[in-house]
Amino acid sequence: TAAPPQVDLARLDYGLKARALADGVWVVEGAVDDFSVANGCNIINLGLIATAEGTLVVNTGTSRLHGQQLRALAERTTGQRVARVIHLNLHPDYFLGNQGFADVPRLATPTTRAGIAREASAYETNLYRLCGDWMRGTEALAPDTDLSLGPDGRGTLTLGGRTFDLTELSGHTDSDLVLVDRASGVAFVG
């Protein structure tokens, strides 16, 4: 496993790095820890997947600043614009970075979208309490596009010639999405 990101508290720099998993697929690892000021509340693994249409970003992090730094990293890493964001569940570290992707379609299941609408305000309050200055200027920006899945909770998403199998499960939340990139076999699991 890789070392945790080197957070710079003085500059509010998450120290994000992309680690290649397969051709055109990267993970941006968070700390294996609880939310804290010391780690910028960055405890989530995020994904970047290059396609012919642009990059698919898997989750956006815990704050406006996290999302902005992730977007810059995505563009540097892939050399592409960000084409879509997909959220794998409703937890705050999966979507509170959306302000950095305000001009990009942000996809989630209807259950996740409803959960975010219901819980976003409480998440913001709690993360401001836990994360302090890392949260400055963060306001929830919900996903704006429903993912279409069949009655069995399965579906596909195709972007730029790359196909992703989607499966909706429940357990961690009421809608935990599993995304499998067919080209590489890499799975991102909510």
Side-chain angles (χ1 to χ4, degrees):
T1 62
Q6 295 301 306
V7 172
D8 183 334
L9 290 165
R11 295 184 320 123
L12 295 178
D13 182 348
Y14 283 97
L16 302 177
K17 292 182 174 74
R19 182 170 60 90
L21 297 177
D23 186 34
V25 182
W26 297 264
V27 64
V28 181
E29 296 173 90
V32 180
D33 203 353
D34 294 325
F35 288 132
S36 73
V37 171
N39 62 30
C41 288
N42 174 19
I43 63 168
I44 185 170
N45 292 338
L46 308 166
L48 308 174
I49 305 172
T51 78
E53 190 178 321
T55 302
L56 175 66
V57 173
V58 182
N59 302 315
T60 60
T62 55
S63 67
R64 174 193 54 82
L65 188 59
H66 198 171
Q68 290 170 337
Q69 290 179 23
L70 176 64
R71 185 169 187 164
L73 176 67
E75 291 170 354
R76 280 193 317 271
T77 300
T78 67
Q80 302 177 312
R81 69 181 183 83
V82 174
R84 301 276 185 292
V85 166
I86 189 167
H87 297 289
L88 302 184
N89 75 38
L90 64 76
H91 285 163
D93 45 342
Y94 287 65
F95 78 92
L96 281 177
N98 278 358
Q99 286 170 284
F101 301 90
D103 61 331
V104 175
R106 299 172 310 281
L107 293 71
T109 66
T111 301
T112 291
R113 288 186 70 204
I116 287 172
R118 184 181 63 246
E119 304 292 338
S121 179
Y123 286 154
E124 284 177 33
T125 300
N126 286 332
L127 283 187
Y128 269 99
R129 182 178 52 80
L130 292 169
C131 308
D133 286 345
W134 293 99
M135 296 300 293
R136 272 188 267 154
T138 300
E139 296 177 7
L141 178 63
D144 59 0
T145 305
D146 278 336
L147 283 167
S148 296
L149 302 176
D152 62 352
R154 296 180 184 275
T156 59
L157 170 68
T158 300
L159 180 66
R162 205 159 185 153
T163 300
F164 308 98
D165 291 316
L166 304 171
T167 304
E168 182 182 29
L169 304 169
S170 64
H172 187 58
T173 73
D174 289 339
S175 178
D176 300 311
L177 198 59
V178 175
L179 176 146
V180 178
D181 172 39
R182 283 188 189 172
S184 67
V186 173
F188 288 95
V189 180

